[in-house]
Amino acid sequence: MGAKIKDVAALAGVSVATVSRVLSNGPVSAALRQQVEAAVQQLGYSPNLSARRLRSQHSQTVGLIVSDIRNPFFTAVSRAVEDVAYQAGMRVILCNADENPDKEAMYLRLMQEERVCGVIFSPTTVSARRFRPERFDFPVVMIDRAGPAGATDAVVLDNRQAAAQLTEHLLANGYRRIGGLFGNSGATGAERAAGYRDAMTAHGQKSDVRFVVPGSEAADHLVRQWLCEPARPQALLASNGLLLLGALQAVRASGLAIPDDIGLAGFDNDVWTGLVGEGLTVIEQPVYDIGAMAMDMLLSRLRSPTLANRLLVLHGTLLARGSTRPATHQVRIESSAAP
Amino acid sequence: MGAKIKDVAALAGVSVATVSRVLSNGPVSAALRQQVEAAVQQLGYSPNLSARRLRSQHSQTVGLIVSDIRNPFFTAVSRAVEDVAYQAGMRVILCNADENPDKEAMYLRLMQEERVCGVIFSPTTVSARRFRPERFDFPVVMIDRAGPAGATDAVVLDNRQAAAQLTEHLLANGYRRIGGLFGNSGATGAERAAGYRDAMTAHGQKSDVRFVVPGSEAADHLVRQWLCEPARPQALLASNGLLLLGALQAVRASGLAIPDDIGLAGFDNDVWTGLVGEGLTVIEQPVYDIGAMAMDMLLSRLRSPTLANRLLVLHGTLLARGSTRPATHQVRIESSAAP
DNA sequence: TTTTATATTGAAAACGTTTCCAAAACCAAT
DNA sequence: ATTGGTTTTGGAAACGTTTTCAATATAAAA
């Protein structure tokens, strides 16, 4: 266990330099290589990564800072990042910042101390705005939410377009008074709100945007009250899977029927959205691809550090399901709209 | 950026030792402390963790090796582990072994190289059986699935009892031909299968146990075929959230009605289980506590390395919901049982 | 004052690797 | 044999910290 490279060298009857070369597939004669490998085996030698990193000045490690690991979007992304990183011989340190700018700053500092060679980061609006790439020694790829325009590489969804498309879908299905529920911590929420507004005003409808802490509990709470207001919404659009979940719970509690009393749609094709009732209408994001491409982009950046910063925009796809398909829309909805 | 401790020392006009002491809150006069802090600030100095760890021989890091990060059980556990670790001033390296013994071995080796001070591990049966604690320099706490009896600390659910209880519940609600669907990679599956068998034989029923790769796709596939067999099950019990999901999808596809045509129950109170139909009956595990207690146990073990190994057994709670509450059980089920 | 104890400080030796550089060994060609 | 060129090898100097140890400064006691 406590064996060092020196012990291996002694046992194999060679210099430490030779052992080091064996371990890193350097040029060593077959005979010596074998001796060294035997010695390694016999002593149960395990190299010390700290020493190795210190000397070689290379960590072979990237950081991944996500905003909420409970969100299936991020677990999918992190799997993808790991897969690609692993193939490139890199390790991943996964950090969960909990939508908390302080934690984000803390983790960025930690990444700096770890001397990682790059970071993939989904920042809150606060962190995104005040992010200064020059303060870090490593390149950063933003995901989900981009930072200051062009400041770093980024891969994002066309949130505005997607939200507009989803809103259009609700409008096309006869819903008029549509409420928009958005996360208040990331840029994503704001962009999706903008897309929602685009579509609403384009159709002459008044928009009703509400921002909330991005978690199902908060969404549930807010929607419960919302549904008690005199002019309660005929449909709800939620800006991510967690919010959609909260909204669904609130609607269930209210006793309103989906989709006839109220329509429900949102982002993220989380596994449960296809299972409740006749299914929830959602914008599906290419979750795995987002992670894989972000890691690809980071690797490419490490190869050519001087390249201009790139923004990669992906598109979501609308999955129209039962939650926005009222049997008799005009009728029921209009009647409930004008009591 | 590229500033070392030496540069800070030079700028502050002190020795590197003093700087080091400032950084680790050692005994330093207020005046010098201030000078040093100013210098740190001015140079944007950031300590090198590799060097620090190498010299201090302490990594302040624990490893967490989970078998499937897509499983909400493990995301919940990992949050808990992180919370507790963080409060104790430790970092967590999260590794996803994908139910793959090779990956598990690889990650254990990596942990050894990282010189982590401890590991929390949910092994596959294969790894659990062949796990040799003496081959590692760090203590291990097994979760979800224990290793060779008493070989390490462990925190687990009373799987056998819980599965038996769940089976009893199905029997009590009139179901007789109950199929059991279990994961084939972990000890958890086997234990739960045993509990299921206990209850079935206690009630004079024939048990029908099937093991499957623990993922929703495989479960879906298997259950689809299962439901086509001549004597199709009247109820299904799934040994974790992923399998339960697959089973549900298959049942949906078959057109059978829950709970009247077929009952459905399983483990893990994943968020969606409360939302589909009248809800799915599940055994809820104290997921957060499992993680928190595992980390606690690891910290305690680090404090007292010679203590005897402990096995901490927690209990699940049955959440009886609509999926096992047939309106007219005797009738419908008997009729479909004897065509 | 002088002495003794205590709190701060700095010089230098680790920590376990990799890598530079020069020496040694080999091989082929003269 | 001698030369010239490859490969292989080993010695020793890094890498950036922490920590030991002795030295100095400060405070308390005599």
Side-chain angles (χ1 to χ4, degrees), chain A residues 14-15 18 21 28-29 32 54-55 57:
Chain A
V14 301
S15 73
T18 301
R21 279 188 278 255
V28 166
S29 69
L32 286 196
L54 172 59
R55 172 58 228 218
Q57 301 287 73

Side-chain angles (χ1 to χ4, degrees), chain A residues 183-251:
Chain A
N184 67 2
S185 65
T188 312
E191 290 171 17
R192 291 179 185 172
Y196 155 85
R197 279 206 198 88
D198 291 349
M200 291 298 270
T201 56
H203 288 255
Q205 298 296 322
K206 230 181 73 203
S207 40
D208 184 355
V209 167
R210 312 212 177 168
F211 291 96
V212 67
V213 174
S216 62
E217 307 80 8
D220 183 353
H221 188 73
L222 183 135
V223 172
R224 269 170 208 260
Q225 311 206 318
W226 202 344
L227 294 179
C228 296
E229 296 178 6
R232 68 154 181 80
Q234 294 163 356
L236 245 27
L237 184 158
S239 117
N240 73 37
L242 263 28
L243 296 182
L244 184 57
L245 173 61
L248 173 63
Q249 287 167 327
V251 169

Side-chain angles (χ1 to χ4, degrees), chain B:
Chain B
M1 297 297 164
K4 336 267 172 221
I5 201 174
K6 207 199 311 190
D7 305 321
V8 176
L11 180 58
V14 301
S15 72
V16 292
T18 301
V19 177
S20 174
R21 279 188 276 256
V22 169
L23 296 174
S24 52
N25 282 314
V28 165
S29 68
L32 287 197
R33 160 159 277 131
Q34 199 154 352
Q35 287 177 49
V36 170
E37 275 162 355
V40 165
Q41 203 66 24
Q42 187 174 335
L43 294 176
Y45 166 75
S46 163
N48 181 319
L49 271 184
S50 295
R52 181 174 277 189
R53 288 203 266 251
L54 172 60
R55 171 60 229 219
S56 68
Q57 301 287 75
H58 202 322
S59 63
Q60 302 280 54
T61 301
V62 302
L64 172 58
I65 307 178
V66 303
S67 33
D68 190 352
I69 191 68
R70 284 172 311 186
N71 189 334
F73 172 81
F74 288 113
T75 75
V77 166
S78 71
R79 274 188 78 89
V81 169
E82 273 206 343
D83 286 356
V84 177
Y86 182 72
Q87 288 191 319
M90 300 224 158
R91 253 174 298 290
V92 178
I93 303 184
L94 176 58
C95 311
N96 178 37
D98 244 344
E99 306 275 7
N100 178 344
D102 292 340
K103 277 198 172 181
E104 291 177 333
M106 186 272 280
Y107 277 126
L108 281 172
R109 213 174 319 127
L110 177 63
M111 293 304 99
Q112 177 75 38
E113 295 181 358
E114 289 272 10
R115 299 295 189 269
V116 296
C117 32
V119 163
I120 298 177
F121 182 24
S122 73
T124 57
T125 321
V126 177
S127 292
R129 202 172 33 222
R130 68 164 65 131
F131 184 78
R132 307 229 85 37
E134 68 276 13
R135 296 196 47 188
F136 299 93
D137 291 333
F138 44 76
V140 170
V141 175
M142 300 280 194
I143 56 171
D144 193 37
R145 315 148 175 196
T152 68
D153 287 323
V155 17
V156 300
L157 198 77
D158 188 344
N159 287 307
R160 191 157 181 167
Q161 182 273 329
Q165 183 183 4
L166 189 53
T167 310
E168 296 275 1
H169 169 84
L170 285 166
L171 289 163
N173 280 34
Y175 299 103
R176 287 297 169 266
R177 213 159 52 241
I178 304 170
L181 185 62
F182 303 93
N184 67 2
S185 64
T188 311
E191 289 171 17
R192 291 178 186 173
Y196 156 84
R197 278 204 199 88
D198 291 349
M200 290 299 269
T201 57
H203 288 255
Q205 297 296 322
K206 232 181 72 203
S207 41
D208 184 356
V209 166
R210 312 212 178 168
F211 290 96
V212 66
V213 174
S216 63
E217 307 79 7
D220 183 353
H221 188 73
L222 183 133
V223 171
R224 268 170 210 260
Q225 310 205 320
W226 201 346
L227 294 179
C228 296
E229 295 178 8
R232 68 155 182 77
Q234 294 164 353
L236 245 27
L237 183 158
S239 117
N240 74 37
L242 263 27
L243 296 181
L244 184 56
L245 173 61
L248 173 63
Q249 287 167 328
V251 169
R252 287 273 174 100
S254 76
L256 293 171
I258 299 173
D260 290 326
D261 295 337
I262 187 166
L264 192 54
F267 278 75
D268 293 335
N269 186 25
D270 291 350
V271 58
W272 56 272
T273 61
L275 296 172
V276 298
E278 299 301 308
L280 259 44
T281 293
V282 293
I283 295 282
E284 173 172 45
Q285 303 193 57
V287 284
Y288 190 90
D289 295 357
I290 290 177
M293 288 178 183
M295 187 64 212
D296 261 348
M297 199 176 253
L298 184 52
L299 291 171
S300 132
R301 164 70 23 160
L302 292 172
R303 264 179 266 117
S304 25
T306 62
L307 236 54
N309 286 325
R310 291 151 297 184
L311 174 66
L312 185 56
V313 179
L314 302 179
H315 288 274
T317 66
L318 176 66
L319 302 183
R321 298 199 272 227
S323 67
T324 54
R325 198 186 301 128
T328 54
H329 34 138
Q330 271 76 5
V331 188
R332 291 251 197 142
I333 284 180
E334 293 314 319
S335 75
S336 77

Side-chain angles (χ1 to χ4, degrees), chain A residues 50 53 58-61 93 107-117 138, chain B residues 46-50 53 59 61 91-93 114:
Chain A
S50 294
R53 289 203 265 252
H58 200 325
S59 64
Q60 303 279 54
T61 301
I93 303 183
Y107 277 127
L108 282 172
R109 212 174 319 126
L110 177 62
M111 294 302 100
Q112 176 76 38
E113 295 180 0
E114 289 272 10
R115 300 294 190 267
V116 297
C117 32
F138 45 75
Chain B
S46 163
N48 181 319
L49 271 184
S50 295
R53 288 203 266 251
S59 63
T61 301
R91 253 174 298 290
V92 178
I93 303 184
E114 289 272 10

Side-chain angles (χ1 to χ4, degrees), chain A residues 2 11 21 56 60 176 231 261:
Chain A
L11 180 58
R21 279 188 278 255
S56 68
Q60 303 279 54
R176 289 294 169 269
D261 294 339

Side-chain angles (χ1 to χ4, degrees), chain A residues 2-3 20 24 26 46 54 76-77 159 173 233 250 293:
Chain A
S20 174
S24 53
S46 165
L54 172 59
V77 165
N159 287 308
N173 280 33
M293 288 178 183

